[in-house]
Amino acid sequence: VSTQSTGDSYVDAMLLLLLLFASAQADPHLLIAEQATRTAIQYTPGNFPDHVVNGLWKTSPASSWTAGFFPGLLWQLYGSTKDQRFKEQALRWTAPLAVNANNTGTHDVGFMVFNSFGKGVQLGGEGQDYKAVVHATARSLSTRFSPVVGCTQSWGSGHHCREDPQVETNFPVIIDNMMNLELLLWAGRDTGNATLTNIALTHANTTSLNHVRDDGSTFHVVNYDPSTGVIKNRCTAQGYRDNSTWSRGQAWCIYGFTMVHRYEPHTLYLRTAERCADFFSSAIGNSSVPLWDLDWDGEKGTHFEDASAAAIAASGLLELSAATADVQKGQGYKILASRILEALRAPGYLGDYDKGEGILKHATGSFMTGSQVDTSIVYGGYYLMEALQRLNDHSDNNV
């Protein structure tokens, strides 16, 4: 852990802020702010919180797919409070991510840059310098698009099918990639670059057709022949089985297609989001936090859950509840999201800095490989904060 030398007066001011938070421990927004404030002070920008090991953040560099979430959380806190101290920290933590503007090696630049620089524009009022980074990153992401396949390539060629590692994946596309489309859609709209917009929409069209099953569940990985665009196989890298439904992937589907519909209000995107949401709702039944895979048939309990998938789904469901034309469906999505958030804001799931530096406990990265199981992962806190803010906004608007 590295403490920043930002000046005694600055640290004193941040500690004073913590004392104010301590007076309202029941408010999850304040608890999240407390956790984030301590992390911002105690760690060095460039060493980004990733997941918690033995109570402490294990950090990752600016090249990590998760690097944009902590700066994005700070921008969310500034957006909800207008407290300049959060903006100062958000600026510090966002700056190191500018190196990704010309990164063509991963689809995750959407997570890395739009969740940091993009949120700085949307929530922080940052201007052309921030926009220029977002625009350049969108152009970088666009180089991964294949008009033959109709998608941007997620990972490089390799062996990504966990159940059958001998299978070579030449052009793998993962359901997670739906989330990175916002980078293209926002930049396309902001610059008037129709190519960026068309790439994003073509990718969404192809994903709706090939990743989403008839019952609304999702495949994790679809592997294409890059020369013909023909599907070679469908499999999973992080789910239970090739034909099961990985919970976080299902949450990406709900959130991703709802987000695309926000930019391009086409029935296909809304209907796909609804199908994914309806399957998710049916699969979790009366529970609030899904098992790490919706088809997991092993032991139950928080160790086998994924609270990050719950937070992502709740945020997506709240936006979907306002987007759908079906009033009854919309009410159902909001009720489900509210139930999820009621569980996540409780002490069993919400972090306690005296016991661990994370914000949201009981998240799972990759259960079958034993990676980041039953811990706090940075994106869980990001989407929890976003979902809570959306719930507040809905309540204020009587949605």
Side-chain angles (χ1 to χ4, degrees):
V1 177
S2 175
T3 303
Q4 279 290 292
S5 298
T6 55
D8 291 341
S9 61
Y10 181 79
V11 173
D12 288 345
M14 297 303 289
L15 292 175
L16 176 60
L17 189 60
L18 296 182
L19 293 176
L20 295 175
F21 294 154
S23 67
Q25 288 292 302
D27 188 332
H29 295 84
L30 297 180
L31 288 169
I32 291 170
E34 178 182 6
Q35 301 283 83
T37 299
R38 292 189 181 192
T39 295
I41 293 172
Q42 293 178 349
Y43 287 81
T44 306
N47 299 311
F48 295 93
D50 185 83
H51 64 284
V52 169
V53 177
N54 296 325
L56 303 176
W57 282 117
K58 183 176 177 61
T59 61
S60 60
S63 58
S64 168
W65 80 271
T66 62
F69 288 109
F70 185 66
L73 175 62
L74 293 170
W75 283 118
Q76 287 189 64
L77 288 167
Y78 172 69
S80 65
T81 65
K82 301 306 179 186
D83 189 312
Q84 288 296 317
R85 288 166 290 198
F86 286 123
K87 184 170 187 178
E88 291 167 9
Q89 290 287 5
L91 289 166
R92 292 177 59 239
W93 280 88
T94 298
L97 291 166
V99 298
N100 289 304
N102 298 315
N103 184 350
T104 60
T106 174
H107 71 121
D108 283 320
V109 288
F111 285 126
M112 297 151 73
V113 172
F114 195 75
N115 287 0
S116 54
F117 282 89
K119 293 304 177 186
V121 175
Q122 291 181 320
L123 301 175
E126 293 301 297
Q128 192 54 46
D129 289 348
Y130 264 48
K131 286 186 175 184
V133 175
V134 176
H135 298 162
T137 309
R139 292 192 296 270
S140 295
L141 178 56
S142 73
T143 66
R144 300 183 66 80
F145 178 73
S146 165
V148 175
V149 173
C151 284
T152 57
Q153 185 171 346
S154 299
W155 297 325
S157 60
H159 300 272
H160 300 106
C161 296
R162 185 185 50 75
E163 285 198 296
D164 193 355
Q166 300 305 312
V167 171
E168 185 174 2
T169 46
N170 306 109
F171 196 105
V173 178
I174 60 177
I175 190 65
D176 321 36
N177 210 344
M178 285 298 303
M179 302 294 286
N180 292 299
L181 301 185
E182 186 163 15
L183 171 66
L184 297 170
L185 291 166
W186 187 91
R189 175 181 291 180
D190 195 59
T191 62
N193 186 334
T195 298
L196 298 177
T197 300
N198 289 336
I199 286 173
L201 297 181
T202 301
H203 182 107
N205 296 344
T206 305
T207 301
S208 177
L209 180 65
N210 295 332
H211 270 83
V212 183
R213 304 182 182 109
D214 290 343
D215 62 0
S217 64
T218 52
F219 292 99
H220 182 203
V221 182
V222 177
N223 178 41
Y224 296 90
D225 184 324
S227 62
T228 65
V230 172
I231 295 173
K232 297 178 67 176
N233 61 298
R234 295 178 172 94
C235 65
T236 192
Q238 289 168 264
Y240 183 29
R241 299 191 180 102
D242 287 344
N243 62 353
S244 71
T245 303
W246 178 47
S247 295
R248 181 147 48 91
Q250 194 70 14
W252 293 140
C253 181
I254 297 166
Y255 191 118
F257 279 100
T258 304
M259 174 272 297
V260 173
H261 179 264
R262 186 199 324 143
Y263 285 88
E264 182 71 21
H266 191 284
T267 303
L268 172 66
Y269 310 131
L270 181 62
R271 182 58 188 141
T272 303
E274 290 175 344
R275 289 169 57 211
C276 290
D278 293 346
F279 182 89
F280 181 85
S281 176
S282 177
I284 68 171
N286 294 324
S287 64
S288 299
V289 179
L291 296 167
W292 70 275
D293 189 291
L294 295 175
D295 294 294
W296 172 248
D297 53 7
E299 294 181 63
K300 304 299 190 290
T302 54
H303 181 76
F304 304 95
E305 295 175 347
D306 185 2
S308 72
I312 296 161
S315 188
L317 286 164
L318 285 167
E319 181 172 7
L320 182 58
S321 71
T324 182
D326 187 321
V327 174
Q328 186 173 357
K329 272 185 178 289
Q331 291 175 339
Y333 297 148
K334 184 178 179 182
I335 290 170
L336 175 56
S338 300
R339 189 177 84 211
I340 291 171
L341 293 176
E342 188 65 27
L344 297 185
R345 65 187 291 167
Y349 290 94
L350 201 57
D352 178 346
Y353 213 90
D354 291 334
K355 300 176 182 178
E357 295 178 344
I359 289 172
L360 183 64
K361 297 181 288 187
H362 305 306
T364 294
S366 182
F367 185 89
M368 295 299 288
T369 61
S371 175
Q372 301 175 20
V373 175
D374 191 13
T375 188
S376 294
I377 307 176
V378 65
Y379 47 77
Y382 175 94
Y383 288 106
L384 175 60
M385 178 64 191
E386 182 181 76
L388 289 168
Q389 189 60 48
R390 285 181 170 181
L391 183 62
N392 278 355
D393 293 343
H394 279 220
S395 298
D396 291 343
N397 295 324
N398 295 315
V399 175

